Amino acid sequence: MGRTYEGLPISEGIALGPVRTVRWGVPAVPHLTVAEDGIEAEVERFDEACTWARGRLEEMRELTAGRLGAMEARIFEPQLMMLEDVEVVEPTLLYIRENRLTAARAFEWRMLELQVLWIRTSNPMVLDRLNDLEDLLVRMLHRLLGLPEAGDLVWDGKPAIVVARNLTPSLTAQMDPSRVLGIATELGTRTSHWAILARSLGIPAVGGLVNAFEEAERSREAIVDGRIGRLILDPAERDREIYRERRVQILSWEEDLSEVARLDSVTLDGQPVALRANIDLPSEAVRAKEHGAEGIGLFRTEFHVMGRNSMPEEEEQYQAYRQVVCEFPNYAVFIRTFDLGGDKFPMFLHMPAEENPFLGWRAIRVCLDRLELFRPQLRAILRATAHGDVRILLPLVNDVEEVVRVRELLSEEEESLRKAGIPFYSGYKLGCLVETPAAALDAAELARHCDFFSIGTNDLVQYTLAVDRTNARLADLYNPFHPSVVRQLHQVSRVGRAAGIEVSVCGEMAANPLGAFLLLGLDITALSVAWPALPELKKVVRSVRIEDARAAARKALAAPTSRDVTRALAEGIGPAVDLSAFSGRWSLSLS
């Protein structure tokens, strides 16, 4: 009997194979002191280790740049900066000179102090910084203690699924996708640095799997479904059959992408559906196009600030936006302005510690407060409008005044560009992400100031249900089919139609067949998902009738519970789509 763990989707794809657990950690450091006349030699040992570590990290950065790209290579910048940071170096030297600690002991002490300090900030993004810190700590201690270099995965050469409590950028950057079939971890989110590398490597990955590691050590085989965030240990034969069939189907689509991409995205009864892609990096635009994307429905721009200690320049941003827009000359590209704060904050902003960062200073609030960051981005996006259909997407809008203020800023930047003789298209569109109950309830007023709505279902579900979507312990409570969510989706769709503006969805819900069926039934016919999911979503669209979806949506709107909602949708979609791989997720029962 297989044991199923529900976690967080991190990297698309399905993997089935033997389990390989990976333990790594900080080595034990002997509690030794040095003699008075040995202090300076210990200082030299520390300096030598820093120099060596810097060299190794720079090598890794260059290798990653060549293998995956410059953006991914930037992931190693925080560790390089730590080696130069006076808050790291000076106290370590002080411990050596005044406490006569060995270099290894002194460095460990200082890093543990920083760990405690950062944990007290209560910011979830600290988890990534702690992960970087631990990666550097392990590397340095191995050098100072004369141990073999850390970071190599001990391997017998056979392809396997890696299960670990957590991973580091160093470990992940060295993974070979032909040997690492999939990744499953207890810690880590989609924004973790190792997770970004896993996606770039194309390795299916799931994180946030509570208590899965110990069980994995007693397991022989596993299935990783990076699409829905699921790990199955020692799967039963029925599970194997379901995932083998699904993987074969997905692989067949991958092998024949050009044919799938050419198929019209239209329901059986003739309703066209716009299928767009969500991307994190400009380089993904090419793959999105190959997978049949009709434009980009969500271009996250936080990659510009990843691992940096200074704000990105306007020109650099413009070149990145232009690259994506030029890839889709006949389709819309929705560029989301910086969604910083919450679980994403750059070092140069010096974000304050907050009790509830997801309810705090983030997204449009940060941008409107820090115009020296926001204005260059707006100028860069405006310049990109000269190359295609660019739509500016504002995150976490709650109030029309936020949209009005952005329009004022855009007007000022337009005037500045005109005076400088820099081309742009003044007919661009400005809209907002509807991802809070406030925005959904105030949609009628927002529609007077927006050219479109894009519903971010991930945050909308989180804020409506007061459930942290990154907390795997609350996974059962995070349910996009909750009646309150369904009614808000209906409300926004209805308002959008009345106002004559497009309503699209760019959250995880759109990638679930049942979620897509519901959205179509609510007359939301523009969906944006991670590009690997596009072929499967197109298959769903081409297998259903819009009238069946509308009938099922009417029943779902009247349903009293999440389970009743999913039941109404499952009955409505019938045998047209195989939902077996999604059973158990979000209260979906097929029994």
Side-chain angles (χ1 to χ4, degrees), residues 5-10 124 127 185-191 206-211 229 343 356 358 458-459 461-462 465-479 508 585-586:
Y5 294 81
E6 303 290 353
L8 306 169
I10 280 183
L127 295 175
T185 63
E186 292 188 347
L187 302 175
T189 67
R190 186 178 172 81
T191 60
V206 180
L209 300 160
V210 180
N211 299 327
D343 61 350
N356 296 299
F358 280 98
N458 295 352
D459 271 342
V461 174
Q462 172 175 252
L465 305 181
V467 173
D468 181 354
R469 63 187 168 91
T470 65
N471 188 337
R473 292 183 185 279
L474 304 177
D476 290 344
L477 301 177
Y478 180 87
N479 192 324
E508 185 187 348
R585 183 77 169 171
W586 298 337

Side-chain angles (χ1 to χ4, degrees), residues 368-380:
L368 291 178
D369 284 349
R370 299 295 297 268
L371 295 183
E372 75 277 20
L373 172 71
F374 196 32
R375 282 186 184 275
Q377 183 178 39
L378 293 180
R379 283 175 61 89

Side-chain angles (χ1 to χ4, degrees), residues 502-564:
E502 182 188 273
V503 177
S504 59
V505 164
C506 61
E508 185 187 348
M509 186 179 190
N512 179 291
L514 217 56
F517 188 61
L518 169 64
L519 296 169
L520 294 180
L522 295 174
D523 288 316
I524 298 173
T525 54
L527 309 177
S528 189
V529 299
W531 52 264
L534 283 168
E536 187 170 14
L537 181 56
K538 183 176 283 188
K539 172 78 165 43
V540 171
V541 168
R542 291 175 58 84
S543 302
V544 301
R545 295 178 179 277
I546 190 74
E547 287 306 322
D548 292 340
R550 286 172 178 149
R554 285 193 290 274
K555 292 180 180 176
L557 283 166
T561 69
S562 307
R563 193 169 296 279
D564 291 326

